[in-house]
Amino acid sequence: MKKPVLSESQEDYLKEIFKLREMNETVSMQDLARKLDVRPPSVTGMIKKLCAMNLVEHEPYKGVQLTETGEKIALEVLRHHRLLELYLARHLNYSWDEIHEEAERLEHVISEKFEAAIADLLDHPTHDPHGDPIPTADLEIPESPDLLPLNSLKNCVNAGIGRIMTQDKDILNLLSRLELMPGQEIELIKNDATGIRVKVNGNQYLVPHTIAMLIWCGKTDI
């Protein structure tokens, strides 16, 4: 099937639907409006267009879902974006709170030849600096360890941070200062109503639940 010609905005909708589905079983119009920072009527109009193009489906109570074609396009855009993020961080010395916005600008315009060249240069990576999986050239999601939000873990657990589920610059700056980044080993000391107390490289921090839910970890022992 020939790939439809889409605007950058249409590609962004498909990408964000895919990302929201990773965290929520149902993606609502309100979810998309908040994520894309647009008014609900604009979301309704765009979803109608994407439905007519057979890229998404929308049913009451079931939310918005990608069709097979829509998902392939979303994965292609995500591959561009996440390869660019890693390239910017590894070779152009961008900090991890800067790479998202730069990749957003470039993801729609790079050629498949340029994408392949970056992948070769980076030795075909599987994850970007935030721990997000990079779709393969065949548009498959690579296998990742089972991860859970930090605030869902119990007391006295050792865990490894696998993924950070936000692109908010202020939060990323904070996590960087606290050394709460993918690849870091942490000890969860206490999880209660006040937050999650963790030990990182000998230092203890109290992480609010609103931030802990964005830190996805793999348990290394119980």
Side-chain angles (χ1 to χ4, degrees):
M1 179 185 293
K2 184 179 179 181
K3 176 185 172 182
V5 178
L6 303 178
S7 67
E8 291 185 9
S9 178
Q10 288 170 328
E11 289 186 345
D12 283 338
Y13 267 79
L14 298 177
K15 177 183 70 175
E16 294 306 331
I17 291 168
F18 184 91
K19 290 168 63 179
L20 284 166
R21 290 280 295 187
E22 288 185 295
M23 299 187 71
N24 304 299
E25 185 174 340
T26 302
V27 177
S28 69
M29 296 288 202
Q30 291 77 14
D31 292 332
L32 281 168
R34 285 192 296 269
K35 184 70 174 178
L36 293 162
D37 195 23
V38 297
R39 298 176 63 233
S42 299
V43 174
T44 300
M46 178 62 81
I47 293 302
K48 285 182 178 179
K49 290 179 183 178
L50 295 174
C51 283
M53 299 171 73
N54 194 36
L55 299 176
V56 304
E57 296 173 346
H58 178 237
E59 296 181 46
Y61 308 110
K62 292 186 178 181
V64 182
Q65 301 184 59
L66 297 171
T67 64
E68 183 177 351
T69 302
E71 182 170 308
K72 289 296 184 183
I73 295 170
L75 287 169
E76 183 176 11
V77 178
L78 279 173
R79 175 170 168 80
H80 288 182
H81 183 97
R82 292 172 179 174
L83 282 171
L84 284 164
E85 285 196 337
L86 189 57
Y87 175 73
L88 290 165
R90 189 177 292 178
H91 291 278
L92 298 183
N93 297 319
Y94 277 67
S95 62
W96 80 327
D97 59 292
E98 296 175 320
I99 55 179
H100 176 71
E101 289 184 4
E102 199 71 62
E104 284 279 295
R105 288 187 279 268
L106 296 170
E107 66 188 17
H108 304 286
V109 297
I110 67 171
S111 67
E112 299 310 302
K113 181 177 180 180
F114 189 74
E115 172 210 303
I118 291 178
D120 284 341
L121 178 66
L122 297 171
D123 197 23
H124 302 280
T126 58
H127 293 78
D128 73 8
H130 305 105
D132 297 323
I134 300 173
T136 67
D138 295 326
L139 303 181
E140 301 288 340
I141 293 291
E143 287 189 16
S144 297
D146 292 333
L147 302 174
L148 293 169
L150 176 59
N151 64 328
S152 71
L153 301 182
K154 297 180 180 180
N155 298 342
C156 303
V157 168
N158 289 337
I161 298 176
R163 191 173 182 186
I164 303 298
M165 302 296 285
T166 184
Q167 300 290 353
D168 183 278
K169 294 184 73 170
D170 291 333
I171 295 176
L172 291 176
N173 269 319
L174 173 63
L175 295 179
S176 180
R177 291 197 298 271
L178 300 181
E179 300 182 90
L180 294 172
M181 304 172 71
Q184 181 68 291
E185 295 290 325
I186 63 174
E187 179 184 352
L188 192 154
I189 297 171
K190 190 174 184 180
N191 181 348
D192 61 23
T194 64
I196 293 83
R197 184 165 293 281
V198 298
K199 179 184 269 189
V200 187
N201 290 333
N203 298 309
Q204 289 192 27
Y205 307 108
L206 183 66
V207 182
H209 283 276
T210 53
I211 293 179
M213 66 186 294
L214 304 173
I215 304 171
W216 285 24
C217 303
K219 291 183 287 185
T220 54
D221 65 25
I222 300 176

